[in-house]
Amino acid sequence: MIRVGGIRADLDTDFSDLVSLCERKLKISRDRLLSVKLGKKSVDARRKNDVHFLISLDIEAKGEDRLLKTLKNASKHEPLSYHAPLVGHKPYRPVIAGFGPAGMFAALVLAMAGAEPIILERGCDVDTRCQKVEEFQRGDRLDPECNVQFGEGGAGTFSDGKLTTGIKDNRIGWVFERLVEFGAPEEILYLAKPHIGTDKLRGAVKALRERVISLGGEIRFNAKFCGFDAENGSLSAVSYMQDGEIHTIETGSLILAAGHSARDVFELLYNENIALSQKSFSVGVRAEHLRTDIDRAMYGDFAGHPALKAADYKLAVHLPNGRTLYTFCMCPGGYVVAASSEEGRLAVNGMSCFARDAENSNSALLVNVDPADYGSDHPLAGMYFQRDLEEKAFIAGGRNFNAPATVLRDFMEGRVSEKLGRVSPSYRPGICFAAPEEYLPDFVCSSLKLGIKEMGKKIKGFDDDDTLLTGIESRSSSPVRINRGEDMQSLSLRGLFPCGEGAGYAGGIVSAAVDGMKCAEAVCRRMEEN
């Protein structure tokens, strides 16, 4: 197979007939072609008067060696493959705490290996979880154990389902293939910026769960990891609470994929003398613009073309104060969602459905926070710093989980907003006008003011006066790292495998899934050794 890249395709191109496209663009006769499929597809909007697609084609053909010599941008292409390990010796059933992206793919690999994993998820199954989240967004009480952060699918279930990643690993293609097998759109296999959408991701999560169960895995919902036992420096048992009772599972391996919001787990580990360290994270707000404004800024006169989905963007500016302001988790045609997981503390996040057709587009505007800002060398100081900001945001919002918000014009001019501009808030249950200075550190607020103006120079209208800023975005990553060695095990306890975003080793759905797979492989090796 060969891959030919850098092929220009107009927005009106018919991608249902790739053979004809290959004949027309590459001048390869139909009788030479054995198969053609899209390898990559991206939008080139660098010139607003000439928006088009750039594609790569994966081709099987007669005489490929000759084509490699004659075609521009052609190279040998071998699809990456992944083979799950097999466990021949099963001294115990491994346990996974957390069923987000890391825990799900760790469970899938262990189940395929024949290890019959037991998965503990503190929250509910995804259907019950969706109901609880909807009730909270309507103004009902928060369930601290089942919300946007906790429950089947993890925090990623209530997101855009973005699958972009900066890591390089042959497991990535396998992750994508499994997601498609479980119901994700096939286009994620070739889009340069793939996303599933929270609506389709929920179905994929359930299908993955059923596969794990069919292979001998067991998933226990409303089962909160609450402790462990050790003998001679090695894990011997795991405890969890369910329906008010504590249960114990004898095991030699625990994959701890509890997520970046499992603050009680961090405190438990600290009290048990598990090696932890401080980690940088970021805080800020969600910026909402009208989707049509962003589409027009990114696509010019091509905005609204039926072949183009809602426009996305990614921005970063380095500021004179030494900080960086950057966009994160951009949700075209999406919503700002209530992401709180603790009483008296408020957090927001962003989410899009697959269609990305909501009125607003939003993204996090984040400023880096480093351990030097924490004011303490305690391993959990970043977590306490994060908590303090969320408590201030809860108070600024009116102490009822309404989110503090401001219109950009008022923020820049140093006053509390009294009315909205053209952008209506998507956050539920509602907003309360408040100045970001009420809940964000001064260095974050000054960085926002400096950086948003700079971003407006890169995307026309990004700094529009009517832009709505809603806070607080504080859960972009974990402020704690659970230290582990090259064998993926805790430096303090053999058999404990810190995993995913919560442990400080991933930064999104894909990297978390890959980290889960790596931990599962390491567990298989440990089981064979015992």
Side-chain angles (χ1 to χ4, degrees):
M1 179 180 289
I2 62 174
R3 171 166 287 184
V4 185
I7 303 170
R8 176 194 168 105
D10 296 334
L11 297 183
D12 295 322
T13 299
D14 179 8
F15 289 102
S16 66
D17 187 358
L18 293 178
V19 171
S20 295
L21 180 64
C22 193
E23 284 185 303
R24 187 171 67 256
K25 292 288 185 179
L26 303 179
K27 310 303 180 187
I28 304 175
S29 61
R30 181 178 293 261
D31 60 355
R32 291 185 64 182
L33 295 170
L34 303 176
S35 70
V36 184
K37 66 178 183 179
L38 273 175
K40 288 290 180 184
K41 179 184 176 186
S42 62
V43 177
D44 186 343
R46 288 172 293 180
R47 291 188 295 171
K48 300 299 180 282
N49 62 347
D50 183 25
V51 178
H52 57 274
F53 293 118
L54 283 178
I55 65 170
S56 297
L57 294 176
D58 292 342
I59 300 169
E60 289 183 305
K62 300 172 185 175
E64 289 183 4
D65 290 339
R66 292 196 302 275
L67 290 175
L68 283 170
K69 295 177 181 178
T70 58
L71 291 174
K72 185 179 179 181
N73 297 324
S75 60
K76 274 282 189 184
H77 178 68
E78 294 296 333
L80 296 174
S81 60
Y82 173 78
H83 300 287
L86 294 177
V87 173
H89 177 54
K90 291 186 285 188
Y92 51 77
R93 296 179 71 180
V95 176
I96 301 168
F99 202 54
M104 288 191 299
F105 276 87
L108 182 60
V109 170
L110 285 176
M112 293 174 66
E116 300 180 330
I118 299 171
I119 300 96
L120 307 176
E121 171 51 58
R122 68 190 298 166
C124 305
D125 65 89
V126 71
D127 289 332
T128 306
R129 182 186 182 198
C130 288
Q131 181 179 342
K132 285 180 174 286
V133 168
E134 175 60 28
E135 290 170 352
F136 176 56
Q137 291 177 341
R138 290 201 305 260
D140 290 353
R141 66 174 294 275
L142 171 73
D143 184 340
E145 302 300 338
C146 190
N147 43 63
V148 165
Q149 305 295 346
F150 301 138
E152 184 177 23
T157 302
F158 293 91
S159 72
D160 185 70
K162 278 176 287 294
L163 302 178
T164 51
T165 181
I167 68 171
K168 304 291 183 182
D169 195 287
N170 64 359
R171 298 172 183 82
I172 294 174
W174 191 83
V175 169
F176 281 37
E177 289 172 355
R178 299 290 72 72
L179 288 171
V180 170
E181 179 184 358
F182 298 137
E186 189 172 0
E187 66 181 31
I188 68 171
L189 298 177
Y190 57 79
L191 288 183
K193 297 178 180 179
H195 87 109
I196 300 177
T198 189
D199 49 341
K200 293 186 179 293
L201 188 57
R202 294 166 187 171
V205 165
K206 288 194 287 186
L208 191 153
R209 177 226 302 167
E210 292 306 316
R211 177 64 56 82
V212 169
I213 293 172
S214 73
L215 294 170
E218 181 181 348
I219 301 178
R220 302 177 186 179
F221 292 113
N222 304 302
K224 182 178 179 179
F225 166 69
C226 63
F228 59 86
D229 296 325
E231 295 179 3
N232 301 319
S234 291
L235 182 78
S236 60
V238 169
S239 299
Y240 69 96
M241 180 173 288
Q242 188 178 51
D243 297 328
E245 295 185 7
I246 294 179
H247 307 265
T248 300
I249 304 170
E250 293 186 2
T251 184
S253 294
L254 168 66
I255 295 178
L256 186 58
H260 58 42
S261 296
R263 293 165 173 168
D264 53 346
V265 173
F266 296 144
E267 291 180 323
L268 184 157
L269 296 177
Y270 175 76
N271 291 332
E272 294 290 345
N273 297 313
I274 299 298
L276 308 172
S277 59
Q278 295 182 345
K279 178 179 163 293
S280 299
F281 71 108
S282 300
V283 297
V285 294
R286 279 269 155 186
E288 285 194 275
H289 302 87
L290 292 176
R291 173 171 55 85
T292 51
D293 286 355
I294 294 297
D295 289 353
R296 188 162 49 251
M298 301 303 293
Y299 296 145
D301 291 341
F302 289 87
H305 190 286
L308 293 173
K309 295 186 177 182
D312 60 52
Y313 57 78
K314 184 177 182 180
L315 296 171
V317 291
H318 302 289
L319 304 170
N321 63 4
R323 302 284 176 173
T324 297
L325 178 69
Y326 65 98
T327 62
F328 175 78
C329 186
M330 195 269 156
C331 298
Y335 310 88
V336 177
V337 296
S340 301
S341 60
E342 297 176 335
E343 293 288 356
R345 301 186 178 105
L346 186 138
V348 303
N349 196 8
M351 172 185 115
S352 293
C353 292
F354 176 71
R356 288 178 163 176
D357 58 358
E359 181 179 357
N360 295 345
S361 290
N362 74 80
S363 70
L365 289 178
L366 298 178
V367 178
N368 59 296
V369 180
D370 302 315
D373 299 309
Y374 301 160
S376 167
D377 59 2
H378 192 289
L380 302 184
M383 184 187 83
Y384 297 135
F385 182 92
Q386 195 181 52
R387 266 182 168 169
D388 179 64
L389 299 183
E390 292 176 6
E391 288 173 5
K392 291 176 179 176
F394 181 75
I395 294 169
R399 301 175 184 266
N400 57 2
F401 289 108
N402 281 354
T406 183
V407 176
L408 180 59
R409 178 196 304 108
D410 299 320
F411 175 49
M412 291 296 191
E413 296 179 0
R415 60 174 177 264
V416 176
S417 296
E418 296 181 351
K419 63 179 181 178
L420 296 167
R422 295 186 303 123
V423 181
S424 297
S426 60
Y427 177 90
R428 295 185 298 150
I431 65 163
C432 174
F433 286 129
E437 287 85 354
E438 294 184 39
Y439 58 91
L440 288 172
D442 290 342
F443 72 82
V444 175
C445 292
S446 61
S447 297
L448 285 167
K449 289 179 178 179
L450 287 169
I452 290 173
K453 284 298 181 185
E454 291 300 311
M455 289 178 172
K457 298 175 183 177
K458 298 185 178 187
I459 296 178
K460 184 179 179 181
F462 192 87
D463 59 345
D464 184 87
D465 284 345
D466 290 339
T467 302
L468 187 65
L469 306 180
T470 306
I472 180 175
E473 172 83 32
S474 55
R475 307 285 184 94
S476 61
S477 63
S478 176
V480 180
R481 176 169 283 116
I482 307 172
N483 299 330
R484 72 186 187 192
E486 292 185 3
D487 61 0
M488 313 298 283
Q489 298 183 65
S490 165
L491 299 180
S492 307
L493 181 65
R494 303 287 298 172
L496 173 62
F497 295 81
C499 183
E501 281 200 46
Y505 297 100
I509 291 174
V510 175
S511 58
V514 168
D515 200 59
M517 294 172 68
K518 289 180 178 179
C519 285
E521 294 159 13
V523 166
C524 289
R525 291 191 292 269
R526 177 171 172 78
M527 292 178 70
E528 289 295 330
E529 292 169 0
N530 288 348

